[in-house]
Each structure stands twice: as structure tokens, then as C-alpha cells.
Amino acid sequence: MAKNIQAIRGMNDLLPSQSPAWQYVEGVLRQVASAYSYEEIRMPVLESTDLFKRSIGEVTDIVEKEMYTFDDRNGDSLTLRPEGTASCVRAGNEHGLLYNQTPRLWYMGPMFRHERPQKGRYRQFHQFGIEAFGMPGPDIDAEIILLSARLWKAFGIEDQVELQLNSLASNEARANYRDALREFLRAHEAELDEDSQRRLDSNVLRVLDSKSPQTQAILANAPRLSDYWDDESRDHFEGLCTRLDAAGIRYTLNERLVRGLDYYNRTVFEWVTTELGAQGTVCAGGRYDGLVEQLGGKPTPGVGFAMGIERLVLLLEAQGKIPSSRSTDLYVMAGNAEAELIVLRVAEQLRDGQIGLKVQVHSGSQALKKKLNKADKSGAEYGLVVFMDGGIETYQLKHLRDRDQADQEFTQIDAVIRAL
Ligand code: ATP
Ligand code: MG
């Protein structure tokens, strides 16, 4: 027997039993994005490797060890996108969507990172993301946070997620803080965890979100980022907080929140939950005012977030918030041999008569009892048995979920449609 070929580790099939949950989630995401006048953009999953190196940063976890990078047949280095913002900026620059304009965009689709697969962490995963360009003020930071808060409400999980905010301030303020933090940590170098020792030179801010308790204890006395905030960034941050207060959005200031991508400045935020173990961040984002220029465009501010759809679905399932759904409403079958030839046509009439009705037609000519068994297993609300006798059609409607209701007999298809 031939050996079975299996899926790539960390890349999941989405089976028919799971797709109703995903369709529900995707539907709500689309609906809420359009309630804020955001428009969809779709980018390719493959990009030049340089795009991600130049945007996410050479010494970040993503670029150092998580990207799927390979040479194509022409010898060009390509990378399966690990996130959407860089591609979105690339597309916006390429098509002249950004400069002197204020596009509000959303995207949804697969992302790829070579990480250790575990619950809530996969090698192909899906993000829904929002990006807004050309608007420098804190009002738009507040808007995208309100949009995300509306999503939690729409899904009924507003009590399971918490908003954490921070400001990474200006590049200059952050550079000063970096120096101060490095100097402080040097004095404790030997006591730091290995990753943090390595990051001391390459990416010292990431030491702040080290998981090591010993490193965290050392950080308790470290210089604070907010002491290095420049005045404009402080005003921006306060402008954001005031607007969130006015809209009734609760948040906590987390000065250790730095994000794993280099392009952020000023506002950064995460929505976190305690319900998913270590993979607790469902949505993360912030401002990236330098990125458009860094990728070759004219200076244009930007702000956005990305949400992990797998983590969102896991959270909704854990909370029992996925509405039940049915793939078949009505199961149609022939009641006698003569009717076998017309059931497909009858089903077409039913679909014409009630748009959206999910009609499944039995395939094959088993005994009626077998067909009814399948009808029952399909989960359909109704079964319809079609009879044909000397050119005369009749219909028997069965209430499959409520056996106490008597079967109904009809001679007109219109009457069947009215009874559904
Ligand atoms: P983490 O700290 O969990 O690794 P991250 O900072 O790498 O997350 P981002 O790059 O900000 O994550 O991506 C935004 C969101 O995408 C995350 O908050 C998470 O919900 C989701 N996400 C990121 N990586 C994965 C993954 N490998 N599998 C599933 N979801 C992911
Ligand atoms: Mg990560």
C-alpha cells in the first residue's frame, strides 16, 4: 500500500465540522470592519525577503528564526509572509494609496512562522488586521481600539479580554531609554537569562518581556520608559487615554509592553486573555509612523493591529460562544422509483422558492427507510419525500426534529414551500 502523505507540521486542515465557526467569526470581523468604513485589501502570501527584513527588523525573533524563506527558480529570495503590515505598506506604496490620503484598510488571511507548534501557536495561522494611514493623531489610535472592543462585544467575550497600553515614544526618546536600560542591565549581566544576555546588545527592549522570573525581578528596579517619554509622545498618549475614557474603554498601562517588531513607535497595545494559557495575546498592534518611508514611500503615519483568528476561535469555543449552525435544512428524497428522475428538479424549485434554504438531495436509490435514516443523520429540520404516480406528483413533509408533529401531505410544491 502506498505511504500516506501527511500535512506539514503546524499547518492545519480546517475540517467541515470547524468551518461554520470560522465562517461565523470571519463574518463578524467583516461586518464590524465595514461598520467603521474600513475597506478590504488582499495581498499575496509571498513577498521579497527584503520587505520583512527591512520592516520587522533583522534582529527580531520573526526575522532571525521564524521565517519561511527560500530561493525560487530564478534565485530570488522569497518569504512566506509572517505578518500583514509590511505587505500592506508595500502594496499601498506600489499603488499610490497612501501619500496624502487617509485609507482605512483591513485584511484577513494566512501567515507563516516557523515556531514550535502548540495550542494557539501554529506554523500556518490566520490573522485579521486593520491598518489606517495618513492620520497622525491619537483619535485614530482610539478608533481602532474601539473597533477591536466592538468585536469583543459582538462575540460576547468583552469580560474575557483586557486591554494593555504603552507608549514607545519617539525614536530618539526610545534610543535614550535603550542606552539607559542597557547600562543598568550590564551591571546584572551574569544574572540574566541566556536570551536576555544575547538581547542586551541586539534588541535590549525585548529583555522587558522576558519570561524569566529572575530577569523580571532585576527589571523591577530598572529605569522606566515613561521617564524618557518626549513631550509630543506624552501628549499623544494622554490624548488616546482621554478618548478611551470618554468612550468607556478600560485599560491598564503596561510599561513592559514593547512588541516583537521593530517598526512601532508611540502607541502599542495588546488585548490579552487568561483563558488560553501561555498564548494569551489575541490582538496586538500600535503606531508605525516611520514604516512607510522606511519602505520607500513618502513619510506617512500609520497605525494598526493584527488578531490571531485561531486564538479567537479557541477562546470563543472555550466560552461556548459559537452559535450552532446546520448545514442542511431540508433533505429531499424520492419515495418511489418513478420519482427518482424528478427529485433534482423538485429541489431546484425549492431553492428557487426560498432563497438561502439549505437543500440536500439524497443520492442513490436505496429503500426509503435507509433514505430516512440518512435524512435524520444529516441534522436537517425537515425531510421531503417526493412521489410520482402516473405523472402526478405528491409530497410528504416530515418534521425530523419534532417527531410529535404529524407528517403533512401536499399536491403543490408552492404549498410545501409555504409550510417550511
Ligand atoms: P506571541 O507573543 O504570542 O508570539 P507575537 O507578538 O509574535 O505573538 P504578532 O506578531 O503581534 O504576535 O501577531 C499578532 C497576533 O497574531 C498575536 O497576538 C496572536 O494572536 C497571533 N499569532 C502570532 N503568532 C501566531 C502563531 N504562530 N500561531 C497563531 N497565532 C499567532
Ligand atoms: Mg511570536
Side-chain angles (χ1 to χ4, degrees):
M1 211 165 68
K3 193 167 170 264
N4 273 335
I5 297 175
Q6 308 224 311
I8 308 297
R9 196 164 117 83
M11 305 208 175
N12 300 314
D13 299 303
L14 190 67
L15 302 179
S17 61
Q18 300 163 293
S19 58
W22 278 69
Q23 288 177 2
Y24 161 70
V25 168
E26 290 166 353
V28 172
L29 294 171
R30 281 197 187 93
Q31 217 170 46
V32 171
S34 74
Y36 289 74
S37 284
Y38 282 64
E39 296 176 296
E40 183 180 10
I41 181 166
R42 299 189 192 194
M43 299 83 66
V45 294
L46 266 184
E47 299 271 4
S48 299
T49 302
D50 276 347
L51 174 67
F52 302 113
K53 285 194 175 165
R54 265 165 69 183
S55 54
I56 297 168
E58 299 261 10
V59 291
T60 56
D61 282 354
I62 294 180
V63 172
E64 272 186 343
K65 44 185 192 199
E66 296 176 359
M67 294 206 306
Y68 278 91
T69 297
F70 59 93
D71 288 346
D72 82 350
R73 288 170 192 276
N74 309 325
D76 299 323
S77 180
L78 306 183
T79 294
L80 278 166
R81 63 181 185 192
E83 57 112 42
T85 304
S87 304
C88 189
V89 170
R90 197 266 312 136
N93 278 340
E94 194 166 326
H95 302 284
L97 303 181
L98 308 183
Y99 184 60
N100 260 341
Q101 297 164 79
T102 54
R104 290 167 158 92
L105 306 172
W106 66 268
Y107 61 81
M108 182 150 58
M111 306 293 161
F112 304 85
R113 297 186 194 177
H114 197 277
E115 303 195 69
R116 191 170 68 78
Q118 54 197 293
K119 187 182 169 196
R121 193 177 293 285
Y122 312 99
R123 292 181 171 175
Q124 173 172 337
F125 62 100
H126 297 76
Q127 285 183 338
F128 166 78
I130 285 281
E131 316 287 356
F133 295 93
M135 294 167 277
D139 49 356
I140 195 74
D141 305 23
E143 176 175 285
I144 68 166
I145 289 174
L146 286 173
L147 190 162
S148 53
R150 180 171 294 271
L151 286 171
W152 315 135
K153 270 227 175 77
F155 288 121
I157 50 169
E158 66 271 36
D159 294 333
Q160 275 69 48
V161 288
E162 184 199 286
L163 175 60
Q164 301 194 346
L165 281 186
N166 193 15
S167 174
L168 298 181
S170 66
N171 293 346
E172 200 191 335
R174 203 161 58 255
N176 291 336
Y177 175 66
R178 233 183 246 127
D179 290 344
L181 183 62
R182 192 178 290 121
E183 194 178 326
F184 169 85
L185 290 174
R186 280 248 185 274
H188 303 271
E189 190 164 351
E191 303 148 66
L192 296 175
D193 61 281
E194 212 176 297
D195 263 351
S196 297
Q197 286 177 350
R198 196 170 49 82
R199 286 178 168 146
L200 213 50
D201 287 312
S202 60
N203 197 350
V204 68
L205 286 187
R206 286 307 302 274
V207 176
L208 291 178
D209 62 14
S210 161
K211 303 266 186 301
S212 148
Q214 196 174 328
T215 300
Q216 282 298 330
I218 293 165
L219 285 168
N221 301 313
R224 296 173 52 155
L225 178 53
S226 58
D227 290 334
Y228 288 77
W229 284 355
D230 53 299
D231 289 345
E232 289 84 10
S233 295
R234 185 179 300 280
D235 287 350
H236 186 99
F237 192 70
E238 281 170 9
L240 168 61
C241 292
T242 312
R243 284 169 175 83
L244 294 179
D245 291 338
I249 303 286
R250 273 174 297 156
Y251 51 85
T252 51
L253 173 63
N254 175 2
E255 289 206 44
R256 305 261 171 95
L257 184 63
V258 289
R259 314 283 304 110
L261 303 87
D262 275 356
Y263 51 63
Y264 287 111
N265 68 305
R266 293 206 173 157
T267 310
V268 287
F269 66 91
E270 286 191 359
W271 287 95
V272 296
T273 177
T274 51
E275 316 279 333
L276 294 178
Q279 275 59 251
T281 305
V282 277
C283 173
R287 185 162 275 285
Y288 47 86
D289 293 333
L291 182 60
V292 174
E293 196 180 4
Q294 203 176 312
L295 291 177
K298 300 232 173 67
T300 306
V303 63
F305 68 68
M307 181 177 290
I309 302 184
E310 281 81 0
R311 291 188 196 176
L312 180 56
V313 171
L314 282 171
L315 181 57
L316 292 175
E317 281 170 352
Q319 299 295 315
K321 298 289 186 184
I322 305 277
S324 62
S325 69
R326 201 173 37 218
S327 61
T328 306
D329 299 319
L330 175 63
Y331 194 98
V332 182
M333 66 215 102
N336 62 346
E338 218 179 318
E340 299 279 359
L341 299 177
I342 61 158
V343 278
L344 284 169
R345 189 260 292 150
V346 169
E348 292 305 317
Q349 287 175 297
L350 292 162
R351 295 185 186 106
D352 287 341
Q354 195 166 317
I355 304 298
L357 187 71
K358 298 168 184 166
V359 182
Q360 185 175 162
V361 181
H362 182 87
S363 169
S365 35
Q366 291 84 357
L368 185 55
K369 192 160 173 253
K370 282 219 164 123
K371 292 179 181 171
L372 284 168
N373 268 339
K374 267 205 112 173
D376 197 32
K377 276 212 190 111
S378 77
E381 178 80 21
Y382 303 103
L384 188 71
V385 190
V386 180
F387 296 92
M388 177 84 146
D389 219 344
I392 309 280
E393 283 173 46
T394 54
Y395 314 94
Q396 187 179 56
L397 186 66
K398 294 179 170 296
H399 297 260
L400 299 175
R401 302 297 133 217
D402 185 357
R403 295 302 172 96
D404 293 342
Q405 282 210 52
D407 294 350
Q408 292 170 276
E409 310 285 339
F410 298 93
T411 55
Q412 301 288 324
I413 193 77
D414 290 350
V416 175
I417 292 166
R418 281 196 298 275
L420 293 172

